[in-house]
Amino acid sequence: MAAKLKKGDKVVVLSGKDKGKQGEITEVMPAAGKAVVDGINVAIRHVKQSQNSQGGRQPKAMPIQLSNLALLDKNGKATRVGFKMDGDKKVRFAKTTGDVI
Protein backbone atom coordinates (compact mmCIF):
# COMPACT_ATOMS: atom_id res chain seq x y z
CA MET A 1 0.00 0.00 0.00
CA ALA A 2 1.24 3.50 -0.78
CA ALA A 3 2.49 5.60 2.12
CA LYS A 4 0.01 8.32 3.01
CA LEU A 5 2.30 9.91 5.60
CA LYS A 6 6.00 10.42 5.00
CA LYS A 7 9.04 11.76 6.83
CA GLY A 8 8.90 15.55 7.08
CA ASP A 9 5.07 15.81 6.98
CA LYS A 10 3.35 18.11 9.47
CA VAL A 11 0.72 16.09 11.36
CA VAL A 12 -1.82 16.44 14.16
CA VAL A 13 -2.63 13.73 16.73
CA LEU A 14 -6.25 12.55 16.57
CA SER A 15 -6.44 10.46 19.75
CA GLY A 16 -4.54 9.54 22.88
CA LYS A 17 -2.79 11.53 25.59
CA ASP A 18 -1.34 14.01 23.05
CA LYS A 19 -4.64 14.63 21.20
CA GLY A 20 -4.59 17.95 19.32
CA LYS A 21 -0.81 18.40 19.41
CA GLN A 22 1.07 19.06 16.19
CA GLY A 23 4.52 17.99 15.07
CA GLU A 24 6.73 16.81 12.24
CA ILE A 25 7.36 13.17 11.40
CA THR A 26 11.00 12.22 11.92
CA GLU A 27 10.78 8.49 11.18
CA VAL A 28 8.22 6.13 9.63
CA MET A 29 8.04 2.38 10.24
CA PRO A 30 5.62 1.05 7.59
CA ALA A 31 5.96 -2.62 8.60
CA ALA A 32 4.83 -1.78 12.15
CA GLY A 33 2.34 0.90 11.02
CA LYS A 34 3.94 3.48 13.29
CA ALA A 35 5.77 6.81 13.10
CA VAL A 36 7.93 8.91 15.41
CA VAL A 37 6.78 12.53 15.71
CA ASP A 38 8.87 15.31 17.31
CA GLY A 39 7.53 16.20 20.76
CA ILE A 40 4.68 13.68 20.67
CA ASN A 41 4.37 10.54 22.85
CA VAL A 42 7.49 11.46 24.83
CA ALA A 43 8.75 8.98 27.44
CA ILE A 44 11.58 9.33 29.94
CA ARG A 45 14.46 6.91 29.43
CA HIS A 46 17.15 6.34 32.05
CA VAL A 47 20.56 6.36 30.36
CA LYS A 48 23.73 5.07 31.96
CA GLN A 49 26.67 7.47 31.99
CA SER A 50 29.52 6.72 29.60
CA GLN A 51 32.78 8.38 28.63
CA ASN A 52 31.08 10.24 25.79
CA SER A 53 27.71 11.17 27.24
CA GLN A 54 26.17 12.34 30.48
CA GLY A 55 23.78 9.85 32.03
CA GLY A 56 20.43 10.54 33.65
CA ARG A 57 16.81 10.88 32.62
CA GLN A 58 16.43 11.82 28.97
CA PRO A 59 13.17 12.39 27.07
CA LYS A 60 12.67 10.27 23.95
CA ALA A 61 9.88 10.42 21.36
CA MET A 62 8.27 6.99 21.09
CA PRO A 63 6.42 5.60 18.04
CA ILE A 64 2.70 6.32 17.59
CA GLN A 65 0.18 4.50 15.39
CA LEU A 66 -0.26 6.00 11.91
CA SER A 67 -4.04 5.70 12.32
CA ASN A 68 -3.85 8.23 15.17
CA LEU A 69 -2.22 10.88 12.95
CA ALA A 70 -3.69 13.15 10.29
CA LEU A 71 -1.89 15.38 7.81
CA LEU A 72 -2.18 19.16 8.22
CA ASP A 73 -3.31 21.06 5.13
CA LYS A 74 -2.27 24.61 4.23
CA ASN A 75 -5.03 26.00 6.52
CA GLY A 76 -3.71 24.07 9.53
CA LYS A 77 -6.65 21.65 9.64
CA ALA A 78 -6.51 17.85 9.73
CA THR A 79 -7.15 16.26 6.35
CA ARG A 80 -7.19 12.88 4.72
CA VAL A 81 -4.72 12.01 1.99
CA GLY A 82 -5.65 10.85 -1.50
CA PHE A 83 -3.73 9.87 -4.59
CA LYS A 84 -4.19 11.02 -8.19
CA MET A 85 -2.29 10.82 -11.43
CA ASP A 86 -0.43 13.99 -12.43
CA GLY A 87 0.70 13.22 -15.96
CA ASP A 88 2.41 9.87 -15.55
CA LYS A 89 3.26 10.34 -11.84
CA LYS A 90 1.17 9.29 -8.85
CA VAL A 91 1.00 12.21 -6.37
CA ARG A 92 -0.52 12.74 -2.91
CA PHE A 93 -3.12 15.45 -2.37
CA ALA A 94 -5.11 16.86 0.57
CA LYS A 95 -8.75 15.81 0.34
CA THR A 96 -10.09 19.03 1.93
CA THR A 97 -8.29 21.54 -0.29
CA GLY A 98 -7.26 19.42 -3.26
CA ASP A 99 -3.69 20.75 -3.08
CA VAL A 100 -0.84 18.49 -4.14
CA ILE A 101 1.42 17.72 -1.19
Side-chain angles (χ1 to χ4, degrees), residues 10-68:
K10 302 279 186 196
V11 293
V12 62
V13 179
L14 299 176
S15 64
K17 67 176 184 174
D18 294 322
K19 181 178 180 177
K21 290 186 181 178
Q22 299 176 2
E24 183 175 328
I25 295 179
T26 56
E27 182 185 355
V28 178
M29 296 166 263
K34 295 185 177 205
V36 176
V37 183
D38 255 353
I40 306 295
N41 200 24
V42 176
I44 300 295
R45 291 289 171 243
H46 297 268
V47 180
K48 190 172 183 180
Q49 184 175 358
S50 68
Q51 268 188 328
N52 302 334
S53 65
Q54 180 72 25
R57 300 174 51 179
Q58 296 180 348
K60 180 181 179 186
M62 302 302 288
I64 187 169
Q65 283 285 335
L66 288 172
S67 62
N68 293 336

